[in-house]
Structure formats: C-alpha cells, structure tokens
Amino acid sequence: MKKTLLIVMALLLTFLGACSSEETTSTAKSGDSKDKEVQKIIVGTGTQFPNICFLDSNGKLTGYDVELVRQIDEKLPEYEFEFKTMEFSNLLLSLETNKIDFVAHQMEVNDEREEKFLFNKEPYNVFPLQVTVHQDNNDIHSIKDLKGKKAIVSATSNSAVFLEKYNKENNAGIEIVYSGQGADDTKNQIKTGRADATITTPFAVDFLNKQADAQQKVVGEPLLNSKVYFLLRKDETPLQKRIDEALVELKEEGVVSELSKKWLGADYSVGFK
C-alpha cells in the first residue's frame, strides 16, 4: 500500500514539474516575443507641403501622406512609426545617414534616387505637375512661355529635376531659382512678382488659395503624371514588403481613395488600385 502511494506521489510530482516547466517556457517565449514584437521606424516628412504634410491650425502634423502612413502603421503591429519633420532638401541626406528609415513626401522616381535608394513597389498616388502662375498673369499659358522668365522650385524636388532637364534639353532659357523656405517662399515670390512661375500640383494651388490667399492658377497641360512612392534605404527590403502589403489592403478597403478625396479633392489613386 505504501509502495503504491509512493508511486502515485512520484507521478504527481513529475506531472506538476512538467507543467511548471511548460509554463516557465511559455512565459519565457512570451517575454521574448514582447521584446521583439515592435520595431521603431522613423518616418521623415515635412511641414511645408499643403494637403500632403503640413501643420494644421492647432499645430498638428497632418495631410495625405501623414494620415496614410498612420493607416499603414495600424496594419503593421511589428512596427511603430514615429514622424521626424525637416526641410525637404534634408530628407535624402537624413535617409542616407540613417537618421530616418523612410521618406513620406510624394517621392517620384528619378535616376538619381533609384541609384541610391529603394522605392516601395506599390504606388499610392499620382502626382500631376503643372506650370503655376499668379492669377492675373495672362502672358504665360504653358511651359513654352517661360523663356526668359524666372521659375521657382524646391531644390532636389521632382519639379526641380524636371525643369532642369527640360531647360537643358530644349535650350529653353528659363531662369531657375530655388526656394529657401518651401511653400511659403514660393507663394510669396509668385504673389509679389519676384518670380513668374512655379511647377506644382492643382491640389497644392487650391489649398494655398483657400488658406493663404496665394492668388495662383495652373496653366497648360500636365507636364508629368508621375506615380509616387515611399523611399527607403537599399537594405530595407523587409520593411518595403510589409508597407506594400499594407498598401494593397488599404486600397482594397477604399481607404487610400477616401484619403485622396479628403486631402487632395479628387481620387488621385485611380488607375493603380
């Protein structure tokens, strides 16, 4: 009887020990998972691009790119996105020097960027660039009328890259100047007549006219209808893949379309859902 009792007790202790061991292992795995589950990602953007990335009347960072990144963040539990704002001209250098992990600022593809960086594969917008002038200017109707005129653009922007290339290839005689303070500098120079034109989007013009009495209008046909992407470092392929997966889902759910309508006044995601 005693022998039987001792055997039962030994089996019971063995069972309890196994349970305890399993619980400890499970807890350890859970702890390990928590340690690894969230990776902070620094997203570089600006504060001077109307409707895209800007500070609202309460000082909150918002706009189409900003709110889309926030929606992507919701889809990716393994990442935590944190915005870091700066001048547009500093974004690429900050990406190259690991100060940020990707750029959200309507980045269009060009050879220089492709050589150094990695674009995600799923575009999230179409970026129509047009010649923009003061509302009272009746002399400039297209880019061909910019000969001998002063056009202001942001350094390193696709507007600048396009205009520099156009000027060179067509011997267009356009005097290109670069804005010192983003949209505000461009707006003031156009409004005061110090610059004759800029290259920008209809939705940026609409916003500036409503919010800052910019007195601008777009003229001529679109010069470019470029697809836009997020820009990452070459080694960021895992993040690139997850961003694309989230974007596909957000398009299917209609979120990208609704954000475009809200911030840009139309569905600029049409054509690549």
Side-chain angles (χ1 to χ4, degrees):
M1 182 67 177
K2 286 183 180 180
K3 186 176 181 180
T4 302
L5 184 59
L6 286 172
I7 292 171
V8 171
M9 289 179 68
L11 289 171
L12 182 59
L13 287 171
T14 301
F15 175 76
L16 289 174
C19 288
S20 176
S21 175
E22 286 179 10
E23 185 177 348
T24 301
T25 303
S26 175
T27 302
K29 286 181 179 178
S30 175
D32 290 344
S33 175
K34 286 181 180 178
D35 289 342
K36 297 176 181 178
E37 68 184 4
V38 178
Q39 178 184 351
K40 181 170 284 190
I41 299 296
I42 307 299
V43 185
T45 191
T47 61
Q48 298 290 318
F49 198 156
N51 285 29
I52 298 296
C53 47
F54 69 105
L55 301 176
D56 67 14
S57 57
N58 296 316
K60 178 188 175 184
L61 181 66
T62 190
Y64 177 69
D65 279 36
V66 172
E67 299 306 332
L68 179 57
V69 167
R70 287 176 175 147
Q71 290 290 328
I72 293 171
D73 190 14
E74 290 293 321
K75 291 279 187 184
L76 305 179
E78 72 270 35
Y79 296 117
E80 178 186 350
F81 291 174
E82 179 181 303
F83 287 104
K84 185 172 184 178
T85 60
M86 62 191 70
E87 291 290 331
F88 178 82
S89 58
N90 293 330
L91 285 169
L92 298 187
L93 179 60
S94 294
L95 183 61
E96 193 171 7
T97 55
N98 298 323
K99 292 178 181 177
I100 57 177
D101 297 303
F102 76 91
V103 176
H105 202 295
Q106 295 282 299
M107 302 302 291
E108 301 148 279
V109 176
N110 63 42
D111 293 340
E112 183 180 350
R113 291 171 184 171
E114 277 196 305
E115 185 178 341
K116 287 187 175 182
F117 304 108
L118 177 71
F119 287 91
N120 72 300
K121 296 180 180 179
E122 187 73 19
Y124 65 91
N125 197 30
V126 170
F127 196 78
L129 288 176
Q130 290 182 256
V131 175
T132 299
V133 299
H134 190 274
Q135 64 187 14
D136 296 333
N137 187 317
N138 296 314
D139 298 324
I140 297 173
H141 305 284
S142 72
I143 193 168
K144 293 179 180 179
D145 297 320
L146 293 183
K147 185 172 184 177
K149 305 291 186 181
K150 184 183 291 186
I152 182 169
V153 287
S154 296
T156 76
S157 68
N158 228 44
S159 295
V161 171
F162 171 82
L163 204 54
E164 290 159 358
K165 184 177 180 182
Y166 179 89
N167 219 15
K168 183 178 180 180
E169 292 180 350
N170 296 278
N171 193 26
I174 303 169
E175 182 186 349
I176 303 173
V177 295
Y178 300 97
S179 59
Q181 297 174 330
D184 284 341
D185 187 32
T186 300
K187 174 195 70 180
N188 291 333
Q189 291 212 37
I190 296 291
K191 193 171 182 178
T192 59
R194 287 178 291 152
D196 299 294
T198 187
I199 308 294
T200 189
T201 64
F203 49 79
V205 170
D206 288 343
F207 177 86
L208 287 172
N209 285 342
K210 291 174 184 176
Q211 299 295 321
D213 188 30
Q215 301 174 18
Q216 295 178 4
K217 65 180 179 182
V218 295
V219 295
E221 294 299 316
L223 305 171
L224 285 175
N225 255 324
S226 303
K227 294 176 180 178
V228 297
Y229 305 82
F230 299 113
L231 193 61
L232 308 90
R233 287 188 300 278
K234 289 282 191 180
D235 61 351
E236 291 284 4
T237 49
L239 177 59
Q240 175 206 45
K241 181 181 177 183
R242 293 294 285 135
I243 286 174
D244 282 329
E245 289 170 352
L247 268 173
V248 169
E249 288 184 21
L250 290 168
K251 287 181 182 181
E252 291 173 350
E253 294 166 3
V255 173
V256 178
S257 175
E258 288 306 310
L259 285 174
S260 183
K261 290 174 184 176
K262 175 180 178 179
W263 291 105
L264 310 181
D267 186 0
Y268 287 93
S269 68
V270 170
F272 53 87
K273 289 181 182 179

